[in-house]
Amino acid sequence: MARKGRSSVSAAADYIRIAGLHVSYDGVTPAVSDLDMTVAEGDFVAVLGPSGCGKSTLLHAISGVVKPQAGLIEVAGQPVGTGRGEHSVPIGYVFQDHRLLPWRTVAQNLAIVLRASGVSDDEIDGRIDRYLDMLHISDFRDTWPLRLSGGQRQRVSIARALAVQPAVVLMDEPFSTLDEVTARIMRQQLAELWQESGQTLVFVTHSIREALFLANRIFILTRGPARVFDVVQVSVARPRRYEDPALTELEAQIVEHVMDQWGYGPSSAGTEGT
Amino acid sequence: MGLWAVVCGDRGHVTVERLTPLRQITGERRQRIQAFVVASLLALAVWQMMTFISGGWVPSLWRIFKALGADATTANTYAEMWITLRRIFITFAAATAIGVGLGVAMGLSRRVTVFFRPIVVMALAVPDIVYIIVAILVLGTDESSGLIAMVLALVPFVVNIVIGGVGARDPGLDEMSSVYRLQRLRYLVDVVAWQVSPALMAATRTCFAFSWKLIVLVEALSQPRGIGAQIYYSFRLLRPDHMIAQAILFIMVLRLIEAITFGPLERKLLGWMQ
């Protein structure tokens, strides 16, 4: 099903390199099994899969939150580390929920991760202003997160991820908890932000339309344990419209393609829910 | 002109407020004041009834009031109170420091929990008087024996409350701090400590309340000085009015200390929740 199309990729083709990845939380049931994936520098890729297939686990492994049982993960030619305080490739992570420290103001939330990333005190304020401005939330610099709306909190979370100037930004269904209008605005802004920054971005979602709207390439995972079973190149020109008929057509093709693989096809009838 | 009063708020803070005439107070506040007045009058009536029933062994309200006036104007009362307050402070500070340290360590480390859990459970079950008697038997009636006994009695309570707070922390914030590689100390200060702060406040208040009650008991049993010793002395001289008056004075001082220390601290630590 691989499609050819416009690609913005010109730098290192294997900026993120994952080979033979195997992750299991209990040592018995694999969450990710034998997963291979490469992402080029500056690329925007989406990871698409059904709920519970292991998409988040994949991001956890890339960020070093979980240690894989087997396999290789390299970002910018360096293996990712695990654990607090460990020196490794800087990674920005936007979680499904914002995960801001509610007892710290917006600026302090950014300052904490910037300090942990080794940014000097002189530079921190400027960096905070720059990224809050980029995400249109400068007015909330000294506000407690609890006083912000869901969309504003997620903007802060994105600003935090970008402010550390990471090698890669990982996003785990960041708009899934927002209302549809806010989510659309956020997607639009994210697409523009990526075009401006040229940041390498891995975006996990279970929404095919969202993946098509945002990404250059879509890695489709199996139902679980997670394994890449297809890669879709999205050739629709940017800036894209969410309602673009070309996206609708691609969405229909992908739905048809994954139906059987995700256990909703005719061959899976009778097995669903068992 | 009107009347002014020092008011202890719900969260322990102290303010000076102009008293509003009762007819102008409405709603829930009026109900609270009415309930307080009714409960106080009822308690005083029950006490006076006990005076009649006991044939004078229970001192009348008037006798207590007179004793209160006499003790409140005696320098010795405050000298004894100071001795007790010093002991309370030492016990409270030691028990809080050890209890919080151990509680946080147990909440964060499974190994530490496995080792200390049975000890803490056993220590919680031991009656406080046993600690006091054993300490007197081992260390004599020296002041330090009582203090050590009290610290041993209080630490398990503090540990128990703190473990609960640490255990209930948000695992999402742990993941966030791991992704952004927060150093161990920063993680403890910026992520764990703030989440545990409500439990810490509860543990501190519990420790304070228990420490003064137990110190008074220790003083009555084994010390020649202190408010506890004075209360016991009044009891032996069959002066129950002075016994009660000294207890009331001491409680008033402690409530004031609690209000001017814990109140502002609580508002500072938990202000972000507002």
Side-chain angles (χ1 to χ4, degrees):
Chain A
M1 163 114 185
R3 292 175 176 81
K4 293 194 174 184
R6 185 194 76 92
S7 169
S8 63
V9 180
S10 56
D14 55 353
Y15 190 68
I16 301 174
R17 192 158 73 92
I18 301 170
L21 185 71
H22 185 91
V23 183
S24 170
Y25 289 104
D26 57 7
V28 181
T29 319
V32 175
S33 179
D34 199 24
L35 186 140
D36 300 309
M37 180 176 171
T38 54
V39 179
E41 187 175 3
D43 202 1
F44 192 147
V45 301
V47 177
L48 185 69
S51 297
C53 78
K55 304 185 294 288
S56 298
T57 305
L58 171 63
L59 290 198
H60 277 49
I62 297 173
S63 65
V65 171
V66 296
K67 199 172 181 178
Q69 274 69 41
L72 167 91
I73 306 174
E74 278 182 358
V75 177
Q78 293 181 55
V80 291
T82 54
R84 283 178 211 97
E86 193 173 312
H87 175 74
S88 62
V89 185
I91 282 172
Y93 204 131
V94 182
F95 299 90
Q96 196 168 352
D97 47 347
H98 52 85
R99 299 201 188 172
L100 299 171
L101 302 175
W103 43 86
R104 295 283 187 228
T105 62
V106 166
Q108 287 168 341
N109 265 281
L110 267 68
I112 286 167
V113 298
L114 287 172
R115 236 168 248 127
S117 306
V119 178
S120 69
D121 286 349
D122 300 340
E123 204 188 327
I124 284 176
D125 268 348
R127 191 87 77 91
I128 291 170
D129 288 339
R130 185 177 148 205
Y131 283 93
L132 291 184
D133 196 41
M134 194 184 277
L135 271 295
H136 314 295
I137 42 172
S138 307
D139 292 347
F140 304 109
R141 198 182 194 281
D142 299 314
T143 308
W144 302 107
L146 289 177
R147 291 192 181 270
L148 301 176
S149 69
Q152 288 163 342
R153 285 179 205 167
Q154 213 48 307
R155 279 196 177 95
V156 177
S157 181
I158 295 171
R160 177 177 64 182
L162 296 176
V164 295
Q165 297 182 342
V168 58
V169 179
L170 307 174
M171 293 189 162
D172 189 359
E173 301 183 36
F175 311 135
S176 62
T177 57
L178 304 180
D179 64 87
E180 185 51 31
V181 175
T182 310
R184 282 195 182 201
I185 295 167
M186 295 285 289
R187 285 182 202 117
Q188 188 67 48
Q189 286 181 347
L190 178 65
E192 289 164 8
L193 210 62
W194 171 75
Q195 284 193 293
E196 283 170 28
S197 66
Q199 189 82 53
T200 310
L201 229 147
V202 180
F203 188 99
V204 155
T205 180
H206 56 242
S207 162
I208 299 170
R209 175 59 68 113
E210 186 173 59
L212 286 165
F213 176 73
L214 289 169
N216 287 335
R217 282 193 304 154
I218 302 172
F219 290 86
I220 304 175
L221 303 187
T222 51
R223 194 180 188 192
R227 205 167 29 80
V228 178
F229 92 91
D230 207 350
V231 182
V232 176
Q233 188 85 28
V234 185
S235 55
V236 179
R238 293 177 190 271
R240 295 172 186 165
R241 281 190 312 111
Y242 206 69
E243 300 79 9
D244 193 324
L247 295 184
T248 308
E249 192 192 327
L250 275 171
E251 187 179 14
Q253 286 177 31
I254 293 174
V255 168
E256 194 183 326
H257 185 59
V258 299
M259 194 74 98
D260 202 37
Q261 179 57 238
W262 287 2
Y264 303 111
S267 61
S268 309
T271 60
E272 179 59 23
T274 56
Chain B
M1 182 75 180
L3 284 173
W4 294 75
V6 178
V7 179
C8 295
D10 291 342
R11 299 172 66 86
H13 59 280
V14 179
T15 52
V16 178
E17 290 178 12
R18 184 178 183 158
L19 290 179
T20 314
L22 192 61
R23 64 178 181 279
Q24 287 179 19
I25 301 170
T26 53
E28 197 188 331
R29 196 171 170 208
R30 188 189 176 103
Q31 281 179 348
R32 282 213 316 262
I33 293 171
Q34 283 171 341
F36 174 77
V37 171
V38 170
S40 304
L41 289 175
L42 198 64
L44 294 174
V46 168
W47 185 274
Q48 199 58 41
M49 203 185 296
M50 276 167 31
T51 307
F52 290 127
I53 292 168
S54 69
W57 282 105
V58 175
S60 68
L61 292 173
W62 177 241
R63 269 178 66 197
I64 294 172
F65 185 71
K66 277 202 299 183
L68 201 61
D71 287 338
T73 50
T74 309
N76 186 55
T77 305
Y78 298 103
E80 299 298 329
M81 207 178 274
W82 174 248
I83 292 170
T84 305
L85 288 175
R86 185 179 57 83
R87 288 173 179 155
I88 290 171
F89 178 74
I90 293 169
T91 312
F92 164 73
T96 306
I98 298 169
V100 168
L102 189 58
V104 170
M106 286 175 74
L108 292 176
S109 164
R110 198 174 157 74
R111 270 190 203 168
V112 181
T113 305
V114 168
F115 183 78
F116 281 107
R117 189 82 198 171
I119 300 170
V120 171
V121 170
M122 219 158 51
L124 277 169
V126 176
D128 297 331
I129 193 77
V130 174
Y131 288 109
I132 299 167
I133 293 167
V134 171
I136 291 170
L137 290 175
V138 175
L139 301 164
T141 54
D142 194 73
E143 184 185 38
S144 61
S145 69
L147 299 184
I148 290 170
M150 286 309 88
V151 172
L152 289 175
L154 290 171
V155 163
F157 283 101
V158 180
V159 168
N160 210 31
I161 296 171
V162 174
I163 290 175
V166 178
R169 72 190 188 282
D170 182 358
L173 293 180
D174 281 2
E175 279 181 7
M176 183 280 295
S177 58
S178 179
V179 164
Y180 289 109
R181 305 288 189 261
L182 262 60
Q183 291 83 2
R184 190 80 185 165
L185 183 64
R186 286 259 64 88
Y187 164 69
L188 285 173
V189 172
D190 288 322
V191 181
V192 177
W194 284 88
Q195 288 186 81
V196 182
S197 57
L200 287 181
M201 282 311 301
T204 312
R205 276 183 181 275
T206 306
C207 187
F208 185 72
F210 273 107
S211 63
W212 76 259
K213 284 176 187 168
L214 292 174
I215 283 293
V216 168
L217 183 67
V218 170
E219 285 177 344
L221 285 176
S222 66
Q223 299 300 316
R225 303 287 308 270
I227 280 290
Q230 291 305 305
I231 290 172
Y232 187 58
Y233 184 62
S234 298
F235 170 70
R236 284 199 302 174
L237 294 179
L238 300 177
R239 293 163 60 194
D241 47 348
H242 283 276
M243 203 176 89
I244 293 163
Q246 282 162 344
I248 290 172
L249 276 175
F250 188 55
I251 289 167
M252 282 165 66
V253 169
L254 284 169
R255 284 294 299 147
L256 187 67
I257 292 172
E258 209 178 339
I260 59 177
T261 52
F262 292 119
L265 184 67
E266 206 163 64
R267 266 179 297 151
K268 189 171 171 60
L269 284 177
L270 309 179
W272 58 271
M273 287 181 177
Q274 301 298 312

